[in-house]
Amino acid sequence: MKTSVYNYSHLLPDGTTLFFNFYTLSLIALNPLESKMGVDILSSPNQTNKNKRFLDLKKLLKHHGFIVDEGADEVELLKTQHIKSRKNQDHLSLTIVPTLLCNFNCIYCYQVKKKETMSREVEKALIEFVKNKVAKNGSLSVTWFGGEPLLCLEIIERLSNAFIEICQNQSAKFTSNLITNGFLLHRENAEKLMNLKVDYAQVTLDGVAEIHNPRRPLLGGGETFKTIINNMKEASERIGINIRMNVDGKNRDRILDFLEVLEEEGLKDRVGFYLGQTYPYTSVCQDVSGWCLSDEDFSLLELETAIEMVNRGYTSFNIPKSKNYFCMADCENAYAITPTGGVVKCWNDVANSEVEIMHLTKPLSKTMREIAERRLKRNPFELECMKCSVLPICMGGCPYIFKETGRLQCHDWKHHPKENLFFYYYLKKIEQESEIAKEFWNLLESANKI
């Protein structure tokens, strides 16, 4: 046997040791007496010891991947899964931009503002593209993006109905979601989206009204906060809603104020909430770079906010998840479709025709093939990431940032592993206590019926 390369441990003040494995996502908490034994096993997994507790603990550590067979190559196994997932043709992932038009004028928007809306010719070509790509018994997931996609809801309706029919004919699963500013996500539109099998919408609200309105005003000027809040109340009865708060140095101190507003408006238990990192992705938004938080600073702020959310009774949190690749940019069968029919590999490029890897209505060119090869060339196993214990939940970070800057955008757990592990342990304890309480009340209820 040998110790897993993806182990991490942390000693708590009360003597409890937390053991976490980034590959299996297993968490084990051992009391002070057991901790010493656990450390002993991990430091020398092949030692002989007939003590029953020692053998039981060793069996537990092996079951959860903390120790593995001597011949096992975890890195190679992860790499194999990575390559297989990148090449998987059973699942087709599309990000579709019906229009680059937007009714907002956000101060940090990274997109070039173009008056481009998808034509019927492109719609027809896209439907044919999907017919040829959806695998029998496979799956199709669609993200509606923009611009503001709800400005062209009729396009979403036509394409969604076509995709649903294609998936039914192929016995394939269809799922979709929407990224919107929320201004048009009123009751009627939410009803339409629900019928089109849109599972959830991501809506951006950058804080309380006096913070949000100057950052995300209407295109011609005008406040947006109140309308979005009212829309969330209606839309959340029909589809899932995740509120994203883009955070930087300008609004980081008002996060808790915004949580209070969500509670006052009755949205706390009806929507998800998470922080987004404002980042100068393209040349269009470079003037906001001075406000942006570093990755390390943002990840700590995110953790502090999560702790406050627990104290306030929120139940939706980002927990560590294993992934075989970072995002669609790493995957062969994932594409972003522009309003003009261009096909790119990243949301950040939907207004950049110079990086198209193919086109729905034009022949494939040599330049497009070369761009496609370059876009899929990045390999986290050829970077310093290969030796990182966090790799199974990170997979090299954002490909776009690496391509543009040469910098790795590391996972939150890389920056603050001890703090994140303790918080994860805390969440698991709450979950466990909740289950115990539930079982107790069920037992009590059963007893009262006798």
Side-chain angles (χ1 to χ4, degrees):
M1 303 296 296
K2 64 180 180 180
T3 305
S4 169
V5 298
Y6 297 119
N7 287 345
Y8 180 76
S9 62
H10 176 55
L11 177 64
L12 300 182
D14 66 356
T16 300
T17 301
L18 303 179
F19 295 91
F20 186 74
N21 184 277
F22 286 102
Y23 189 88
T24 62
L25 303 183
S26 295
L27 171 64
I28 295 177
L30 299 180
N31 62 41
L33 203 61
E34 294 174 322
S35 293
K36 185 177 183 305
M37 194 178 293
V39 171
D40 192 28
I41 293 170
L42 292 175
S43 62
S44 182
N46 293 312
Q47 62 184 288
T48 301
N49 191 320
K50 295 183 179 180
N51 178 279
K52 185 179 184 304
R53 182 53 190 151
F54 182 95
L55 294 174
D56 287 344
L57 184 54
K58 182 176 179 179
K59 184 178 180 180
L60 179 70
L61 291 171
K62 181 181 179 182
H63 177 73
H64 289 284
F66 291 92
I67 53 176
V68 297
D69 292 334
E70 181 66 37
D73 190 331
E74 294 172 285
V75 177
E76 191 61 32
L77 181 59
L78 188 64
K79 183 177 180 181
T80 300
Q81 293 172 340
H82 170 71
I83 295 172
K84 182 179 179 181
S85 296
R86 286 182 66 159
K87 294 181 177 297
N88 178 31
Q89 300 298 309
D90 290 333
H91 177 67
L92 173 63
S93 175
L94 297 179
T95 297
I96 302 175
V97 183
T99 182
L100 284 172
L101 293 172
C102 188
N103 51 345
F104 276 28
N105 188 27
C106 302
I107 58 175
Y108 49 72
C109 182
Y110 61 83
Q111 288 189 10
V112 177
K113 292 178 172 59
K114 293 183 177 180
K115 297 180 179 180
E116 294 178 353
T117 298
M118 190 171 286
S119 67
R120 288 296 186 100
E121 179 191 13
V122 172
E123 284 185 49
K124 183 178 179 181
L126 177 53
I127 291 170
E128 287 301 311
F129 179 79
V130 172
K131 279 182 182 178
N132 293 327
K133 283 285 186 179
V134 172
K136 189 73 173 178
N137 299 314
S139 58
L140 165 65
S141 64
V142 173
T143 296
W144 301 103
F145 189 50
E148 171 48 48
L150 288 180
L151 289 173
C152 293
L153 182 54
E154 69 282 357
I155 295 177
I156 295 175
E157 288 182 284
R158 287 194 295 268
L159 289 175
S160 292
N161 286 326
F163 297 158
I164 291 169
E165 183 179 354
I166 291 169
C167 287
Q168 287 174 343
N169 292 337
Q170 290 291 87
S171 299
K173 182 181 179 182
F174 174 74
T175 57
S176 67
N177 62 83
L178 177 82
I179 296 178
T180 173
N181 57 40
F183 196 78
L184 299 175
L185 193 58
H186 47 69
R187 183 188 302 270
E188 182 182 350
N189 283 345
E191 190 86 34
K192 290 180 179 179
L193 292 170
M194 179 182 69
N195 293 331
L196 295 171
K197 297 189 176 182
V198 174
D199 299 316
Y200 69 90
Q202 175 193 292
V203 178
T204 303
L205 280 160
D206 276 2
V208 295
E210 63 266 29
I211 296 294
H212 171 91
N213 285 328
R215 289 167 65 94
R216 299 180 63 82
L218 286 170
L219 186 60
E223 298 181 349
T224 60
F225 181 84
K226 187 175 181 180
T227 298
I228 298 172
I229 286 291
N230 289 335
N231 285 347
M232 295 308 93
K233 293 177 182 179
E234 296 182 349
S236 61
E237 295 176 356
R238 290 155 180 80
I239 61 174
I241 300 292
N242 288 326
I243 292 180
R244 172 187 170 108
M245 180 178 176
N246 288 325
V247 178
D248 49 48
K250 297 282 188 178
N251 66 342
R252 63 177 301 169
D253 295 330
R254 302 298 301 277
I255 297 172
L256 301 186
D257 293 339
F258 182 51
L259 290 177
E260 289 181 3
V261 170
L262 293 181
E263 293 164 20
E264 291 168 1
E265 296 289 346
L267 287 169
K268 177 182 132 181
D269 298 321
R270 296 168 60 183
V271 301
F273 174 80
Y274 72 101
L275 302 183
Q277 184 177 7
T278 304
Y279 192 86
Y281 283 105
T282 67
S283 59
V284 178
C285 57
Q286 286 301 310
D287 56 342
V288 306
S289 59
W291 316 341
C292 298
L293 306 178
S294 68
D295 293 345
E296 186 173 353
D297 193 12
F298 174 76
S299 64
L300 185 58
L301 178 64
E302 199 173 27
L303 183 59
E304 292 170 348
T305 302
I307 293 171
E308 180 62 30
M309 289 174 68
V310 168
N311 294 333
R312 290 172 176 266
Y314 286 81
T315 57
S316 175
F317 302 98
N318 288 328
I319 60 174
K321 297 178 181 177
S322 57
K323 53 171 62 180
N324 292 326
Y325 52 84
F326 183 79
C327 70
M328 63 175 289
D330 283 332
C331 186
E332 288 185 7
N333 209 28
Y335 311 92
I337 313 297
T338 74
T340 58
V343 181
V344 295
K345 289 300 294 180
C346 179
W347 298 8
N348 295 331
D349 287 327
V350 295
N352 185 3
S353 60
E354 295 182 0
V355 294
E356 292 174 354
I357 64 167
M358 67 175 84
H359 199 283
L360 297 179
T361 62
K362 298 177 184 178
L364 184 65
S365 68
K366 179 182 177 182
T367 300
M368 290 175 180
R369 283 194 294 267
E370 291 173 349
I371 292 172
E373 289 176 4
R374 290 200 299 270
R375 285 292 187 270
L376 290 168
K377 195 172 183 179
R378 190 191 79 134
N379 184 349
F381 294 90
E382 295 176 354
L383 305 172
E384 60 188 83
C385 308
M386 189 177 74
K387 297 181 180 179
C388 179
S389 61
V390 182
L391 181 59
I393 66 170
C394 177
M395 296 312 292
C398 175
Y400 183 89
I401 290 177
F402 182 74
K403 174 176 70 72
E404 294 295 319
T405 68
R407 181 178 65 83
L408 292 170
Q409 188 182 43
C410 297
H411 195 278
D412 297 346
W413 280 60
K414 178 75 170 180
H415 298 299
H416 304 286
K418 291 185 296 185
E419 295 83 357
N420 275 289
L421 180 57
F422 181 75
F423 178 64
Y424 187 48
Y425 170 65
Y426 182 45
L427 288 180
K428 287 295 183 182
K429 288 275 286 184
I430 293 174
E431 182 182 300
Q432 187 179 51
E433 290 168 1
S434 176
E435 286 299 317
I436 292 172
K438 184 178 178 181
E439 288 179 13
F440 170 76
W441 287 112
N442 287 340
L443 185 64
L444 193 61
E445 185 178 349
S446 299
N448 288 333
K449 291 179 180 178
I450 298 175

